Amino acid sequence: MAEALVKIRNVSKSYYRDSQEIPVLRNINFDIPQGEFLALMGPSGSGKTTLLNLISGIDRPSSGDLAVAGENVAQLTDGQLAKWRSEHIGLVFQFYNLLPVLTAFENVELPLMLTKLSKAERRKHVETALSIVGLADRVKHYPRQLSGGQEQRVAIARAIVSDPTLLLADEPTGDLDKQSAEDIMTLLSRLNKEFGKTIIVVTHDPRAAEKAHLIRHLNKGELT
Amino acid sequence: MVLSLIIRNALRHKLRTFLTILGVAVAVMAFGLIRTILAAWYSSVEASSPDRLVTRNAVGITSTLPLSYREQILKIDGVKQVTWANWFGGTYIDPENFFPQFAVDKDAYFEVFPEFITPPDQFEAWKNDLRGAIVGRKLADRFGWKVGDRITLIGSIYTDNWDFDIVGIYAGKDQTIDEGSMLMRWDYLDAWIKKNWPGYAAQIGWYVLKLSDPNRSTEISSAIDTQFKNSTAETRTETEKAFALSFVQMSGAILVLLKVMSFLIIGIILMVLVNTMVMAGRERTAEHAYMKSLGFRAYHLVWIISGESLLIAFLGGGLGLLLLFGVANIVKSAVAMWFPVFVVTPATFMIVICVALFVGLLAAIFPSQRVVRMKIVDGLRVVD
Ligand SMILES: Nc1ncnc2c1ncn2[C@@H]1O[C@H](COP(=O)(O)OP(=O)(O)OP(=O)(O)O)[C@@H](O)[C@H]1O
Ligand SMILES: [Mg+2]
C-alpha cells in the first residue's frame, strides 16, 4: 500500500493556562491513507477538535511529527502554513462560518481569491462546487436567506472549491435537524466515493458516523 | 471584491455606521470652524506686506504723532512713500453694527495699499468730495449701501454727527483682503478738530511707509526711531506684520485655548471612530479566524479593516466639510465685525482632509492589532 496521506507520530498537545500545563493530546500515533473516510468520536473535551486543528495546520503540536501528503506541517512557518492550507485543506465547521455580507456564490469564491485563477475560471469552479452540493439555484442568496442545512452545504462547497487534498469537518451536523444531518453525511460520503476525497469527520452522532468507513475514538487525549 | 466587502461590512450596522459618520462629521465641522476662526484671526497678519512699515507713538497705539514727521520720514533713505491713518470710531445707527473706520490721507493711502482696488472714477470723486467715503464691498453689501448714498455716523471719539457720501466701493485683490472697512478723508476729520479742539490739529494715528527694499526694514526702522529719540513724541517702527500681530497677541490666551480645543476635537473624532471599529472587529472575530484558516493572512484582514475605517472617516470628513461651508456662510455676517475675512481657506480644507485620513488610519490600528495577534484556534472558539 502506498504511503499514508496523513502520518501522525508521537504527537502531544498541551495548553497552558496561568503557567499550568493542561495536556490535551497524549502521544498520538495514527496513519490515514489516501481516500479514507474516517469518523472521529469521543466525549466532549477529549481533544477531537484539537487533533483536527493540528492536522489542518491551524494549530501546532507541542511535540511529535505530523506529515500531510509528504509535507512536515509542524515545521512550516506561519506564512508557508497559510499557503499550504489554502492548497491542501478544506474545512467545515459546526456553525458554518459563512460571511453574512457575501452571497452563497461569493462565499464559495472567497478561497479562490487567494489563487491566480481568472474571474471566469473562478466562476466555473464556484458553479461546479455549488452544483455538487445541490445549490446551483441559490447562488445569489445570502446566508440568512438559507436554511441551516443549505448553509452547511454552501460551507462544504467552499471547502471543496479549491480541490483540497484533505477535507476536515468538525461536527458538521451538530447544529442540524435529523434530515439535514443525514443529507450532509450523504453528501460527504458521495464526495468520498465519487470524487475520492479523503475525509475526516468529528461527530457525536453514531448514526452520522455509520456513513464513514472507519470510526476511531478519542478518550482523554488518547486514541482507542 | 475587496472594495465591495469593505462597503458591505460598513453597511452591516447601518444605524451605527450612520451615527458614526454623523459624529465624525459634526466633530470635523467644529474642528474646521475653529481652524477657520484661527485663519481669520491671522489673515490680517498674512495680508500684511513685507515692504511696509508702521510707525506709531512709542507710548501706545492710542497716542498720536505730529503730521510734521512725514517730511522727515520721507527723507530717510529707502523710504519710497509715507501715508497715514487715524482710527475714527463712529457708530452707524446701533453699536451692534460695528465696522472699522479709518480717516486716511487722500493722496498716498491707496498708493501704499494697492490691494484695495477702487474704480478710477470713484477714486476721483472721493478726492473731490471732502465728505466722501470709500467702503469695502462686503460692508456695502451688509448695509445695502450704493454709490450716491448719504450715511450718518455718530462719533464716539470725535463727538458729533458726521455725514458721509458713499462715493466709492473698493474690492480686495483676493479673498484674504478685508472688504469690511470704511475709508474717509483725514482732512475732513482734521478740519473738525481744528474748529473744535484747536490744540489737537495736525495729529495722525500712525504712519504707514512703503520701502524700496523690504530687506532693509530693520535698518530703516531703527533709523526712524533714532531720529525721533528725545523728541516730544518718540516713535516705534515695526513691520506691518509685527504691528498686526501686536493686536493678535492681545488675545494670545484665547488663541492657545482655541488651538487646544481643536486638538481635543481630533481626540473626540478619534474616539468615536475607534469605538465603532473596535466593536466591529470584536463582532467579526470568528469570521476573521475563519478567513485566516482559509489561508488569508493578517495583512489581508488589516487591509479590509483599514479600508472600512478610512471609508467612514472620509464620509464623515466630507459631510463635515459640507456642514463647515454651510455654517461658515451663515455665521459670516454675524462675525463680520470681528473677522472681516471669514472663509474656509484651502489650507483649512487640506488640514481637515489630513485629519480624516490620520484618524481613519489610527482607528484601524486597534482592531488590526487584534487581528494580527489572534490565533485561529482562539478566534474560532468565539461563538456569537
Ligand atoms: N485554546 C485553548 N486554551 C486552553 N485550553 C484549551 C484550548 N483549546 C482547547 N482547550 C482544552 O482542551 C480540551 C480539549 O478540547 P477540544 O476542543 O479539542 O475538545 P473536543 O473533543 O473537540 O470537545 P467537544 O466535543 O466539546 O467539541 C478541553 O479541555 C479544552 O478546554
Ligand atoms: Mg470540538
Side-chain angles (χ1 to χ4, degrees), chain A residues 53 58-59 79 82 85-86 91 93 97 99-102 106 109-110 113-114 142 158, chain B residues 1 5 8-9 12 286-287 290-297 300 376-377 380-381 383:
Chain A
N53 289 345
I58 62 176
D59 204 357
R85 270 200 310 274
S86 70
L91 285 170
F93 298 93
N97 277 307
L99 265 59
V101 292
L102 299 184
E106 291 164 333
E109 193 183 13
L110 195 59
M113 301 308 289
L114 289 166
Y142 285 91
R158 180 174 58 180
Chain B
M1 180 144 166
L5 186 57
R8 289 190 222 175
N9 274 341
R12 269 194 215 197
E287 280 170 41
Y290 186 75
M291 286 185 75
K292 275 189 169 182
S293 81
L294 285 180
F296 284 92
R297 307 298 312 278
H300 290 118
I376 299 172
V377 281
L380 284 174
R381 282 181 171 267
V383 176

Side-chain angles (χ1 to χ4, degrees), chain B residues 273-287:
Chain B
L273 197 55
V274 165
N275 184 49
T276 295
M277 289 316 296
V278 166
M279 279 207 287
R282 267 176 206 280
E283 288 160 7
R284 295 174 204 160
T285 306
E287 280 170 41

Side-chain angles (χ1 to χ4, degrees), chain A residues 15-17 22 24 42-51 170-171 202 204, chain B residues 377-378 381:
Chain A
Y15 285 108
Y16 292 87
R17 201 172 287 150
I22 305 165
V24 176
S44 185
S46 55
K48 306 182 294 295
T49 296
T50 305
L51 182 57
D170 193 353
E171 298 187 42
V202 166
H204 281 293
Chain B
V377 281
D378 295 332
R381 282 181 171 267

Side-chain angles (χ1 to χ4, degrees), chain B residues 58-78:
Chain B
V59 174
I61 188 64
T62 52
S63 302
T64 55
L65 288 173
L67 183 61
S68 57
Y69 282 14
R70 176 170 189 265
E71 291 304 316
Q72 301 177 54
I73 295 173
L74 251 182
K75 278 194 203 112
I76 288 168
D77 181 41

